[in-house]
Amino acid sequence: MNVINFTPFSAFAGGIIIGLAVILFFIGNGRLAGVSGIVNNALVSKKNRTDNFLFIVGLVLGPIFYIFFTENNIPFFITSSLPIIIIAGFLVGIGTKVGKGCTSGNGICGISLLSLRSIIATITFMITAIITVKLIG
Amino acid sequence: MISKIISFISGIIFGVGLSVSNMINPEKVLGFLDLFGQWDPSLIFVMIGAIIVSAPVFFLFRKKSKPLFADNFSIPTLKSIDKNLIIGSGTFGIGWGMVGFCPGPAISSLALLNTYSVFFVLSMLGGFLLIKLINGVIVSS
């Protein structure tokens, strides 16, 4: 293992900002900012639909505000082919729906609530993702 | 009304956090998942930063009778460690490792007008709908 491209300060700062979004959503609306759940509910449920759509619109506006106010570019590279993208998106949709959570819902919110379920979910998706990268990378 | 503004602003702040940490970038995420190759530990610092902020607030604020702008807290009560949790999370991890996109960054990256982000998000919605369809069939049969 070689450590490369490590950006601890921007990572930690970005994490704190994400944490602020999570606590605002919790203190204000009493909800957990798990993105897979919010997107899934916006699609299939009438409950809180406007709130969910507004959260999603905000999520898309975030990078635009960041670029506008900091005048930084956001490095962004995808090397996967289109069929792989489509299969991966499908697996992420199926998996987060069946497992009830993604990196934000289980990985950040669930762990912050000390939920054993979320801790096990996070360990599980980390392991299968690392194995997948090892196999296809 | 205020709750709608809170949802909107929470989404914006979340998207800014993904931009600052560059977690919106699949290459950056794959760097973290490439544990046995060229490893970039940044993602774990993102999670630690977010958890340090949210854990104490969750702990203190959930004891209140209700949130500021809603009638009650909606915290999942599910505690069981079942096969759906393992199969679902495991499947999610495979998709995550294939491209380096999880739901938050994939949605946020739509801002960058990359066609691949659009295909990824549409496929993800397809996955949600497929499970809803299957669950519907199981429930009605």
Side-chain angles (χ1 to χ4, degrees):
Chain A
M1 182 213 293
N2 297 314
V3 172
I4 59 157
N5 298 330
F6 184 29
T7 53
F9 298 106
S10 60
F12 193 66
I16 286 174
I17 295 170
I18 293 170
L20 293 175
V22 168
I23 62 174
L24 176 65
F25 200 50
F26 185 73
I27 292 175
N29 296 354
R31 297 181 58 198
L32 300 179
V35 177
S36 64
I38 290 172
V39 176
N40 173 57
N41 282 323
L43 188 68
V44 303
S45 162
K46 287 195 172 68
K47 195 185 171 203
N48 293 327
R49 186 166 261 171
T50 315
D51 279 86
N52 291 331
F53 268 111
L54 286 170
F55 186 96
I56 293 166
V57 173
L59 205 50
V60 179
L61 286 177
I64 296 172
F65 285 175
Y66 172 81
I67 293 168
F68 185 79
F69 287 109
T70 66
E71 297 181 2
N72 289 337
N73 284 322
I74 299 178
F76 185 79
F77 299 101
I78 298 183
T79 48
S80 317
S81 66
L82 190 55
I84 293 289
I85 298 265
I86 290 171
I87 296 166
F90 209 60
L91 293 177
V92 168
I94 291 171
T96 55
K97 177 124 179 170
V98 172
K100 297 191 194 312
C102 58
T103 331
S104 50
N106 277 322
I108 293 174
C109 298
I111 290 181
S112 294
L113 287 164
L114 302 177
S115 152
L116 180 64
R117 209 184 125 83
S118 291
I119 293 167
I120 289 178
T122 306
I123 292 169
T124 306
F125 65 64
M126 290 275 182
I127 290 174
T128 57
I130 288 167
I131 292 170
T132 304
V133 170
K134 174 81 181 159
L135 292 179
I136 68 170
Chain B
M1 182 60 201
I2 298 175
S3 81
K4 308 262 183 297
I5 297 168
I6 295 284
S7 299
F8 185 53
I9 296 173
S10 302
I12 294 174
I13 297 173
F14 203 116
V16 170
L18 291 172
S19 306
V20 170
S21 58
N22 200 218
M23 288 299 122
I24 195 172
N25 181 6
E27 189 189 47
K28 185 81 180 160
V29 173
L30 288 180
F32 172 76
L33 296 173
D34 193 11
L35 185 63
F36 301 107
Q38 307 285 318
W39 193 44
D40 172 2
S42 304
L43 186 142
I44 205 76
F45 276 61
V46 180
M47 289 188 66
I48 290 170
I51 291 168
I52 282 176
V53 172
S54 46
V57 175
F58 281 165
F59 181 72
L60 295 171
F61 200 81
R62 70 188 297 193
K63 292 173 183 155
K64 306 255 182 201
S65 57
K66 66 191 206 61
L68 296 181
F69 307 112
D71 295 332
N72 46 281
F73 290 107
S74 359
I75 302 171
T77 49
L78 204 56
K79 295 258 184 286
S80 61
I81 314 297
D82 52 15
K83 69 176 192 304
N84 278 355
L85 181 76
I86 305 298
I87 293 170
S89 299
T91 305
F92 160 48
I94 294 170
W96 191 33
M98 284 172 75
V99 175
F101 261 151
C102 54
I107 299 274
S108 251
S109 75
L110 292 173
L112 306 174
L113 303 175
N114 186 291
T115 323
Y116 282 2
S117 302
V118 178
F119 278 104
F120 185 92
V121 170
L122 289 176
S123 310
M124 186 174 83
L125 299 182
F128 290 154
L129 289 176
L130 178 74
I131 299 301
K132 181 180 162 64
L133 199 70
I134 292 172
N135 286 343
V137 170
I138 293 169
V139 170
S140 63
S141 61

